[in-house]
Amino acid sequence: MSATIDFIIDDKEIQGRPGQTILEAAQQNGIYIPRLCYREGLVPHGSCRICTVLVNGRPQSACTQPIAPGMIVENDTEKMNGLRRNIIDMLFVEGNHFCMFCEKSGNCELQALAYRLGITAPKYPYMFPKRDVDATHPDIFIDRNRCILCGRCVRASRDVDGKHIFEFVGRGPHKRVEVNAEANLADTDISMTDEAVEACPVGALLKKRVGYAVPIGQRLYDHKPIGSDIESGVAPASSR
Amino acid sequence: MSENLGAAVKEICRAHGHDRTRLMDIVRAVQEQFGCVSGEAMELIAKAVSVHRVEVDSVVSFYAFLSDRPKGKVVIRVCDDIINRMHGADRVAQAFADELGIEVGQTTPDGTITLEYTPCIGMCDQAPAALVNDVVVTDLHRTTARQIVQELRRHLDPRRLVRKLGDGNNAHELVQAMVVNNIRKPGPVIFSPVNRGEAIKKALAMSPVEVIRAVKTSRLRGRGGAGFPTGMKWEFTRGAPGTKRCVICNADEGEPGTFKDRVILTERPDRVFAGMTIAGYAIGADEGILYLRGEYAYLRAFLEDVLQKRRDENLLGNKICGKEDFNFDIRIQMGAGAYICGEETALISSCEGLRGDPKNRPPFPAQKGYLEHPTVVNNVETLGCVTKILEDGPATFNEYGSEGSSGTKLLSISGDCRSPGVFEVPFGITLNEVLRLAGAGDAYAVQVGGPSGQMVSRDEFGRSICYDDLATGGSLMVFGLDRNVLEIADAFLDFFIEESCGYCTPCRVGNVLLKERLGKILAGKGEPSDLKYLQELGETVKLMSRCGLGQTSANPILTTLKNFRSVYDALVKEATDGLQPSFDIHAAMSESEKITGRKSVHFLA
């Protein structure tokens, strides 16, 4: 096997290494493919579908699809970005996302992606589901209103923290993240330093009492769109 | 009780070797014995098989037949797919409810009987039907529903509800079901008589590579719907690196309107098991799994017996038919009510004791499938064809069917027709001919391939059933002139919403949104722009979803928009007053009016 794999993203010739996914190879070449459930260091999940690209005309999630010689990938096209906007809209109306009083605002990947792709308001009707908040733990809380079911906490806790505190239960529209206890987060052995807590892209899993330590206006995506670091080659390690 | 539970769970887990990959069997056994898998049981199971409690919860909460809250000793599940509803399932359910004094979804106060709805149980040709625990009751009407409740009140033994046995093996002492086969047109492949052992002996006289070549020469393609060439699938699996290989037979027949696999398993199980064994020989597998949908649990004892007979005759087990180094056996994995498990990677997840979430591809099952071993997953009917190909040779098989689609296809036909049942027809047959066979010459629309397939209108009845035209797993639901295709599409959306695993966004959310907008149109509040909205949303679900379920779940909308546009057009109208017809100002105000205790002065009209 050759040391590099040549392929094309949006008319640009790209070189990647064998074993890389499309998303990884793109990122290494300064190309940002929008994503939500992907987080560096975690097993790709392929669930949010935002990183979907066309590979030789067929839709594939860039975070799970390995690169292959000569493949032609369509990423930053009006068609794909339109489909991504639809997915982001779906996530917004599926939960209860009120950016104006969410302490994650400015650091939220969902919000940042919406801005990057030019969404001002979702076009689908809000579902206003009834979801609960688990504030039983002294240091950490879960607000399921904001959960987008990306599974980053599930994977981080299982594979990085070695605790398996979170898991999906239920199916279809009843699917939700549950904790490994009879009832509440307080009954688990989660701690402030767990990777799981850092992994949440939205305001569903948060540390208490530090919500506004960084003021609005000085947050991650306040001045530059999400993905800018990848595009400017500043920080190939993308998401935090 | 708790001590009982503790001892029982311990015993169940021990019987399954404390193996976390057998979690499906473990939770099913606990459910059967205790009527639920309670939080306490989850804790005990988790300890015994060394997983986290929430992982057990994850599995239990996924499958419709499992529950963390107690259900009645007897659970009545009335099938509410569209065909059953057309035949009066709602009236039957109401009769059950009235007689029980509860509503659908509830359990009687004494905790004995639970009443639920369930999606297609594979009995559309004898609808309305229901499951009473594992026992199937068919051709129900209000009176029989009431009688069933009265009887159950006396003895709580569903088996005693069966008085008249069905035909063929339905009357077998290990089946004892009132189910009938309704084989309306037996054909030369699947329903031809089986000479037990013949195909295997012929296969074993060849090398595995020659067997694969024979299957390739036959041009056999998967009968489940996707139509992948079977020989090629086997070749990939045989060539994939791995120390162990596996053959899985997909008997999770869940596509609404399909029931042909039930009839094959009832009347020709040997054909299927022989096909699995031949596949095992061809790819170098020693393990076979029949994944049997939970709804067909009534066939389990019978199928286990067939397997045992095959072992006794050395058609399974070690050194099959004296062939050195060919060891192969089959176990039955029961499902527990999840349509998604018919998707091959979801099925593999389920066999591994996990939620029935599909897996990311690549790797494909042929590379890394069951427990990461190279795995072949074939449909019941496909494996039945394999046996016939080995019996008669690929050339004979090739004589049946059409240019690009060799062999015969089993169709399950139901709905508005005089002869619902199973038809074995050669590929290439037109829809018109099929409808004539089933006594449905005056059909208005046919759903080909179940909800995930397409709604075909009368002007397309000249199309033929084959891989190059109307490809189908075999479900044909016939609708007469008085049926509303949009209401049918709406029912199909309900089905996909409930059966989505919820893993990926477009399928989990998109279908709920499709239903909302279709509901608006059905309520007479639709605008022309809603049709564009449905089209775009449907295409997003189709393109962006992760697995076959999601990618086809918008088809009820997309294919009716395409083939029954006039029905939509007749329902939508441009608002002339500049207002949004869907916005009901009075409904929107009702909550605040309730709080303030007065009617809004602006909107009194």
Side-chain angles (χ1 to χ4, degrees):
Chain A
M1 203 183 265
S2 65
T4 59
I5 291 179
D6 297 339
F7 69 107
I8 290 171
I9 300 182
D10 295 336
D11 302 327
K12 196 176 165 198
E13 280 175 35
I14 299 291
Q15 288 194 330
R17 291 192 311 275
Q20 274 183 323
T21 61
I22 295 171
L23 188 143
E24 289 165 345
Q27 179 153 326
Q28 204 180 38
N29 283 273
I31 295 172
Y32 173 71
I33 299 176
R35 76 294 294 272
L36 259 184
C37 69
Y38 173 85
R39 181 173 161 88
E40 212 161 283
L42 300 181
V43 187
H45 203 229
S47 65
C48 75
R49 310 310 289 171
I50 285 166
C51 73
T52 302
V53 291
L54 293 183
V55 180
N56 302 327
R58 286 189 52 159
Q60 303 281 5
S61 50
C63 71
T64 59
Q65 189 67 26
I67 55 171
M71 62 165 44
I72 295 172
V73 177
E74 294 167 58
N75 168 44
D76 191 10
T77 64
E78 192 36 53
K79 178 183 173 165
M80 292 322 292
N81 286 333
L83 290 164
R84 285 170 187 150
R85 274 192 285 271
N86 293 352
I87 303 288
I88 292 165
D89 277 352
M90 287 181 193
L91 289 171
F92 269 107
V93 301
E94 185 193 24
N96 298 311
H97 299 273
F98 300 102
C99 301
M100 68 298 279
F101 57 79
C102 176
E103 60 189 79
K104 188 80 169 191
S105 188
N107 288 328
C108 172
E109 293 178 34
L110 178 68
Q111 181 195 41
L113 264 178
Y115 281 136
R116 180 178 169 118
L117 292 170
I119 297 173
T120 46
K123 60 169 159 280
Y124 303 132
Y126 288 102
M127 297 182 183
F128 297 124
K130 282 204 158 50
R131 302 224 187 126
D132 55 8
V133 175
D134 180 348
T136 55
H137 193 277
D139 301 321
I140 299 154
F141 73 95
I142 307 173
D143 186 346
R144 290 191 174 84
N145 290 292
R146 303 166 182 164
C147 179
I148 56 168
L149 302 171
C150 68
R152 277 162 51 162
C153 60
V154 175
R155 286 171 282 153
S157 181
R158 182 190 65 203
D159 302 333
V160 181
D161 304 329
K163 293 183 179 179
H164 214 134
I165 286 169
F166 302 100
E167 190 51 87
F168 290 118
V169 302
R171 77 173 184 215
H174 317 290
K175 184 173 177 168
R176 63 181 200 283
V177 170
E178 205 36 274
V179 296
N180 183 39
E182 197 178 325
N184 301 316
L185 191 60
D187 309 319
T188 70
D189 56 351
I190 194 165
S191 92
M192 288 275 267
T193 54
D194 279 5
E195 176 66 13
V197 186
E198 303 293 330
C200 183
V202 291
L205 191 57
L206 287 173
K207 292 177 190 170
K208 290 182 177 176
R209 295 178 296 276
V210 294
Y212 292 93
V214 178
I216 304 269
Q218 295 174 26
R219 295 185 170 192
L220 267 178
Y221 310 117
D222 281 347
H223 299 285
K224 279 185 184 164
I226 188 169
S228 302
D229 51 349
I230 291 168
E231 287 165 325
S232 63
V234 174
S238 66
S239 40
R240 52 216 88 208
Chain B
M1 185 69 182
S2 275
E3 271 170 44
N4 278 347
L5 180 71
V9 168
K10 228 180 197 166
E11 175 50 31
I12 289 166
C13 294
R14 194 198 56 78
H16 291 96
H18 301 105
D19 182 355
R20 72 103 50 232
T21 70
R22 301 302 294 274
L23 203 50
M24 274 293 276
D25 299 313
I26 293 169
V27 290
R28 274 189 61 97
V30 173
Q31 174 82 36
E32 202 168 300
Q33 207 168 328
F34 295 93
C36 69
V37 185
S38 61
E40 192 184 353
M42 289 180 198
E43 198 83 59
L44 291 163
I45 295 167
K47 278 210 183 81
V49 301
S50 308
V51 296
H52 296 84
R53 172 206 162 106
V54 76
E55 292 176 83
V56 184
D57 194 359
S58 182
V59 172
V60 171
S61 61
F62 190 88
Y63 297 93
F65 288 3
L66 304 172
S67 167
D68 61 350
R69 266 159 297 180
K71 288 195 179 172
K73 282 196 174 59
V74 174
V75 182
I76 301 172
R77 295 186 170 96
V78 181
C79 176
D80 73 343
D81 68 26
I82 189 70
I83 302 297
N84 278 261
R85 281 202 225 165
M86 277 161 46
H87 287 91
D90 290 327
R91 289 194 299 276
V92 168
Q94 194 54 51
F96 273 124
D98 291 346
E99 191 66 27
L100 288 164
I102 56 172
E103 281 173 41
V104 180
Q106 294 181 332
T107 301
T108 52
D110 62 354
T112 53
I113 303 175
T114 300
L115 179 63
E116 293 177 352
Y117 276 125
T118 194
C120 187
I121 61 172
M123 302 289 162
C124 287
D125 58 334
Q126 41 214 299
L131 289 170
V132 185
N133 289 353
D134 290 347
V135 173
V136 183
V137 286
T138 58
D139 285 320
L140 296 168
H141 43 81
R142 278 176 284 198
T143 325
T144 46
R146 287 181 181 280
Q147 282 166 354
I148 284 171
V149 172
Q150 289 155 11
E151 267 191 64
L152 285 173
R153 283 238 155 88
R154 284 199 296 277
H155 53 61
L156 282 179
D157 182 0
R159 281 168 307 176
R160 285 167 65 184
L161 298 171
V162 179
R163 290 219 184 73
K164 188 168 176 285
L165 296 176
D167 57 337
N169 283 332
N170 291 299
H172 189 281
E173 56 177 351
L174 291 172
V175 181
Q176 298 275 301
M178 66 189 287
V179 178
V180 289
N181 289 325
N182 282 331
I183 303 174
R184 306 284 182 180
K185 191 181 181 308
V189 175
I190 295 295
F191 288 122
S192 64
V194 188
N195 183 1
R196 198 140 78 187
E198 184 191 338
I200 292 184
K201 281 170 194 144
K202 285 187 173 163
L204 294 180
M206 301 188 233
S207 74
V209 173
E210 283 168 339
V211 172
I212 292 177
R213 196 176 305 140
V215 174
K216 284 174 88 171
T217 308
S218 77
R219 297 181 295 137
L220 174 66
R221 294 170 66 174
R223 297 311 199 224
F228 194 82
T230 307
M232 206 189 284
K233 192 185 262 189
W234 289 13
E235 197 169 59
F236 288 155
T237 315
R238 180 173 176 79
T243 51
K244 193 178 149 67
R245 287 176 171 66
C246 184
V247 175
I248 299 181
C249 173
N250 183 347
D252 192 54
E253 179 176 55
E255 188 70 44
T258 318
F259 41 83
K260 47 109 187 161
D261 290 346
R262 163 189 34 100
V263 180
I264 300 174
L265 290 169
T266 307
E267 295 304 324
R268 295 291 183 273
D270 274 301
R271 192 173 277 299
V272 179
F273 292 141
M276 289 177 74
T277 313
I278 293 162
Y281 176 67
I283 68 162
D286 62 0
E287 184 174 7
I289 301 173
L290 176 80
Y291 188 93
L292 187 64
R293 69 184 304 215
E295 290 80 352
Y296 293 169
Y298 75 98
L299 289 172
R300 184 182 185 172
F302 167 69
L303 294 172
E304 293 280 11
D305 185 60
V306 175
L307 287 174
Q308 191 51 49
K309 288 199 172 94
R310 295 184 71 85
R311 285 183 201 111
D312 296 343
E313 293 175 26
N314 192 218
L315 297 171
L316 280 177
N318 291 333
K319 295 183 188 168
I320 290 173
C321 297
K323 184 86 175 177
E324 282 297 324
D325 301 332
F326 180 44
N327 310 323
F328 185 82
D329 210 333
I330 297 171
R331 76 169 168 96
I332 296 177
Q333 174 67 59
M334 290 304 303
Y339 166 76
I340 182 63
C341 289
E343 198 282 343
E344 62 176 359
T345 59
L347 185 149
I348 289 170
S349 297
S350 190
C351 287
E352 293 170 339
L354 302 168
R355 298 162 60 80
D357 287 335
K359 295 174 190 282
N360 284 318
R361 275 164 288 212
F364 291 87
Q367 305 162 289
K368 277 184 179 182
Y370 176 64
L371 301 176
E372 307 229 316
H373 306 309
T375 301
V376 153
V377 183
N378 283 143
N379 178 262
V380 171
E381 186 183 344
T382 312
L383 290 161
C385 292
V386 164
T387 306
K388 190 65 181 170
I389 289 163
L390 268 293
E391 278 168 4
D392 300 350
T396 310
F397 187 80
N398 255 318
E399 283 168 20
Y400 312 120
S402 67
E403 183 69 30
S405 313
S406 61
T408 61
K409 182 77 193 87
L410 259 57
L411 302 176
S412 316
I413 306 183
S414 63
D416 294 323
C417 58
R418 280 191 299 282
S419 313
V422 176
F423 298 73
E424 182 174 348
V425 296
F427 271 115
I429 192 169
T430 65
L431 201 46
N432 263 324
E433 288 172 83
V434 168
L435 291 172
R436 214 164 30 242
L437 285 175
D442 52 351
Y444 162 64
V446 181
Q447 182 74 23
V448 179
S452 70
Q454 48 187 318
M455 183 75 93
V456 175
S457 66
R458 200 181 261 176
D459 39 331
E460 291 188 290
F461 287 179
R463 293 175 66 182
S464 55
I465 292 180
C466 61
Y467 293 105
D468 309 313
D469 192 1
L470 282 175
T472 171
S475 164
L476 258 66
M477 296 191 258
V478 183
F479 301 108
L481 248 183
D482 53 337
R483 307 292 177 189
N484 181 339
V485 290
L486 301 196
E487 281 173 11
I488 296 165
D490 184 59
F492 289 164
L493 284 178
D494 280 332
F495 172 74
F496 284 125
I497 289 168
E498 275 312 305
E499 295 300 323
S500 162
C501 74
Y503 191 99
C504 75
T505 316
C507 174
R508 183 183 69 240
V509 188
N511 286 311
V512 178
L513 295 171
L514 284 172
K515 184 179 164 64
E516 183 270 340
R517 197 50 50 106
L518 180 62
K520 180 185 162 192
I521 292 169
L522 280 168
K525 292 177 176 171
E527 297 161 85
S529 61
D530 288 325
L531 303 188
K532 188 166 169 270
Y533 172 102
L534 281 177
Q535 183 75 34
E536 281 180 11
L537 179 55
E539 278 168 14
T540 302
V541 173
K542 186 186 178 116
L543 280 173
M544 302 295 269
S545 289
R546 177 166 165 264
C547 80
L549 187 155
Q551 286 155 13
T552 56
S553 62
N555 280 353
I557 293 291
L558 293 174
T559 70
T560 50
L561 272 175
K562 181 164 168 272
N563 299 333
F564 293 87
R565 185 71 180 208
S566 59
V567 182
Y568 284 96
D569 286 337
L571 280 173
V572 297
K573 52 183 178 295
E574 202 81 58
T576 48
D577 52 6
L579 299 176
Q580 266 186 23
S582 60
F583 183 64
D584 181 344
I585 185 75
H586 295 288
M589 296 293 289
S590 69
E591 201 173 336
S592 53
E593 286 176 345
K594 211 157 68 194
I595 294 166
T596 54
R598 62 176 175 83
K599 283 272 176 199
S600 160
V601 288
H602 291 288
F603 304 105
L604 278 174

